[in-house]
Amino acid sequence: QSIIDEYISKDGRIRYYRHDKNMGATANFDFVLKKANGEYFMWAAFDDVWDPHWVASMRKGFERKGVVLSFGRVAAVDLGGRVIRDCTAFHLPENRRLRLVKYFWLEEYSGKACLIYGLFKTRFLLQRKPFSKFRAQNFSDMLFVFSCLNHGLVYIDPSVLFYKRMPPEKSGKASVISRIWNSVFKMDRI
């Protein structure tokens, strides 16, 4: 608490909220977005790390017309910070249908869920369906990103890295049956 108070006293832009009980990830994602008031918005997980120029690079993505989400490349790291998989930067086409189909079929281990941690324009996000409205126990992040991709382009800067911490049990590929179940049967929530 003292660390938080120290930073709040140094920077008036920092706001701190503490809930009496754990709201869960979905409700928390919705809560922090509703509190946003800047031009840009980015969710952040406590254990992930970005390259030093991550945000500046992401802002450049919005210089391009039609971009709704700006992101970089993903490197999956173990709990010790060692890279266990350097995910190649994926390209999502400008054509809306092709973009949606490609995202839909990307393997989960490709880093596609990490797009939720990219940079968005706040106004755009506030016009989207909230996480809680997807009524999904899991995969709300990918459903939300899929919904965003329906409305515009993704800018990917492969020169900057997002380091996603992966617990050991999540570092491998999903089975074909698991991938089909997670991709096809969860799509009714979009």
Side-chain angles (χ1 to χ4, degrees):
Q1 183 69 45
S2 63
I3 295 171
I4 295 167
D5 293 339
E6 177 186 342
Y7 278 95
I8 289 173
S9 69
K10 292 178 181 179
D11 190 335
R13 297 173 299 172
I14 298 174
R15 293 178 285 152
Y16 173 68
Y17 300 95
R18 184 175 179 95
H19 301 282
D20 293 333
K21 65 178 190 167
N22 187 337
M23 301 168 56
T26 301
N28 193 55
F29 268 59
D30 286 342
F31 176 81
V32 296
L33 177 57
K34 286 179 190 170
K35 296 294 182 184
N37 62 5
E39 182 179 357
Y40 297 98
F41 182 85
M42 186 174 79
W43 282 285
F46 78 98
D47 59 344
D48 297 333
V49 180
W50 305 268
D51 274 344
H53 303 289
W54 178 263
V55 175
S57 178
M58 297 305 97
R59 284 192 63 208
K60 289 179 187 172
F62 290 100
E63 293 171 2
R64 206 170 144 210
K65 187 176 178 176
V67 169
V68 298
L69 164 59
S70 190
F71 197 71
R73 197 172 87 237
V74 178
V77 296
D78 64 17
L79 297 178
R82 291 179 300 278
V83 174
I84 55 177
R85 184 176 54 253
D86 189 353
C87 305
T88 57
F90 44 84
H91 169 75
L92 294 171
E94 290 191 19
N95 178 281
R96 185 180 65 82
R97 285 190 182 111
L98 292 177
R99 180 173 60 245
L100 294 172
V101 168
K102 184 167 183 178
Y103 182 78
F104 179 84
W105 285 110
L106 278 171
E107 296 280 0
E108 186 177 354
Y109 72 88
S110 70
K112 78 181 205 177
C114 295
L115 285 173
I116 196 66
Y117 297 111
L119 189 66
F120 297 86
K121 289 212 172 183
T122 305
R123 187 173 6 147
F124 170 79
L125 285 180
L126 291 171
Q127 296 169 351
R128 305 284 63 85
K129 180 179 179 178
F131 275 82
S132 56
K133 299 293 184 189
F134 287 108
R135 302 177 330 273
Q137 186 75 14
N138 297 302
F139 311 107
S140 294
D141 49 3
M142 288 185 275
L143 293 171
F144 188 87
V145 168
F146 188 90
S147 172
C148 291
L149 296 179
N150 192 38
H151 298 280
L153 304 174
V154 176
Y155 170 81
I156 304 286
D157 181 347
S159 71
V160 292
L161 278 170
F162 172 76
Y163 299 91
K164 178 66 180 163
R165 294 207 193 271
M166 302 295 284
E169 68 273 5
K170 293 198 174 192
S171 60
K173 293 183 180 181
S175 71
V176 172
I177 292 172
S178 173
R179 187 182 74 192
I180 291 171
W181 175 262
N182 293 337
S183 296
V184 176
F185 297 108
K186 297 292 182 180
M187 296 312 289
D188 66 327
R189 304 238 160 73
I190 293 179

